[in-house]
Amino acid sequence: MGVSELVREFEWLSERGTPRVALWADRQPALAGCVELGDVLKAVRADPDPALHALLSELRAGCLLAARVVLHALLPKMIVMSRADRGAFVMDYVAHLWLRILDYPLDRRPQRIAANLALDTLKAVQAERRQGVVLLEPHRFTEVPVLVDPDPPRKTRGLLRTALDRGLVDPHTHAILASVYADGFSAKEAARRYGVSPITIQRRCRRGVKRLAAHADELATAL
């Protein structure tokens, strides 16, 4: 998926999102008067923090459409940032932005939300590059890395939970690894589940497995 596909998808969502926007307008003062998704975007542009806070609150309540609106509102910024970065593609920025939106700490950082999301995304893209993750086009590989001698799902869950508890992987990496290695999801299935691209799933798995391998002794002792 590229930027043009994201735009077309948002247009499709806009045609069907009016009932959801009505619910937001009733619950969120910052979105009062909004009728369609385009109105929500205008609210974000007019006064970013209250509108983004409202959308992230709806995300916390389980509405992924709210997260999608946040992503679309910040999409122009991602395009500008990617053009200044010769080492990454715009969809690398979009993928990391989506993950940042999903786990944004709204209670701790209720102000400058757009700037925080953009900076967190930039840091994530740079961190991925420092870790030596090779950016590959979709046709270059189709499978996630394989855990050597994988344990049965129950033991795998224990391993991944221990890695999460010890801060070796972040919550979203843990969730993705569990989906792939414990639940048996393919990269495409996991991508649909988390609303990201299969490449993002593959990268998260590669990075996660690398972290697990680097702390194998510590994990073995803790289990």
Side-chain angles (χ1 to χ4, degrees):
M1 179 179 287
V3 171
S4 58
E5 287 83 4
L6 283 175
V7 172
R8 284 196 294 270
E9 180 188 63
F10 192 80
E11 291 172 349
W12 182 87
L13 291 170
S14 296
E15 295 173 356
R16 295 159 176 80
T18 302
R20 179 62 62 178
V21 174
L23 293 176
W24 297 347
D26 286 341
R27 290 194 292 251
Q28 304 291 344
L31 303 181
C34 292
V35 176
E36 56 188 15
L37 293 184
D39 298 327
V40 178
L41 289 177
K42 291 178 183 177
V44 173
R45 288 193 290 268
D47 199 356
D49 272 346
L52 290 173
H53 193 288
L55 288 167
L56 292 173
S57 297
E58 291 295 331
L59 168 61
R60 283 188 165 192
C63 183
L64 279 177
L65 179 59
R68 185 64 180 78
V69 178
V70 176
L71 185 145
H72 199 78
L74 291 175
L75 183 58
K77 179 65 174 178
M78 297 300 104
I79 295 173
V80 171
M81 291 168 65
S82 68
R83 286 175 178 169
D85 185 350
R86 300 182 66 179
F89 301 106
V90 63
M91 293 310 293
D92 295 311
Y93 278 85
V94 169
H96 279 293
L97 172 62
W98 178 251
L99 294 173
R100 302 284 75 74
I101 292 169
L102 293 180
D103 62 7
Y104 185 80
L106 190 58
D107 294 337
R108 290 193 293 105
R109 302 165 77 188
Q111 297 177 329
R112 293 177 49 81
I113 295 173
N116 288 334
L117 284 169
L119 181 58
D120 288 350
T121 299
L122 177 62
K123 289 179 178 178
V125 171
Q126 292 175 340
E128 187 175 66
R129 186 154 56 235
R130 286 196 301 270
Q131 291 169 2
V133 177
V134 179
L135 303 181
L136 298 175
E137 292 299 319
H139 65 274
R140 295 287 298 278
F141 63 97
T142 57
E143 299 297 330
V144 296
V146 176
L147 286 172
V148 178
D149 296 327
D151 293 317
R154 184 175 179 180
K155 194 170 182 180
T156 298
R157 290 185 192 283
L159 171 72
L160 296 176
R161 184 67 206 185
T162 300
L164 175 64
D165 291 343
R166 289 175 172 262
L168 302 180
V169 295
D170 61 78
H172 280 290
T173 297
H174 167 266
I176 289 171
L177 291 175
S179 294
V180 172
Y181 295 112
D183 297 335
F185 282 47
S186 67
K188 289 184 178 180
E189 291 168 337
R192 285 195 295 270
R193 182 176 191 178
Y194 293 104
V196 298
S197 70
I199 289 181
T200 297
I201 296 296
Q202 293 157 355
R203 289 176 182 157
R204 280 270 167 151
C205 286
R206 289 175 188 276
R207 184 167 58 186
V209 170
K210 184 178 179 179
R211 288 283 292 172
L212 295 180
H215 295 271
D217 292 342
E218 177 184 346
L219 290 169
T221 302
L223 290 174

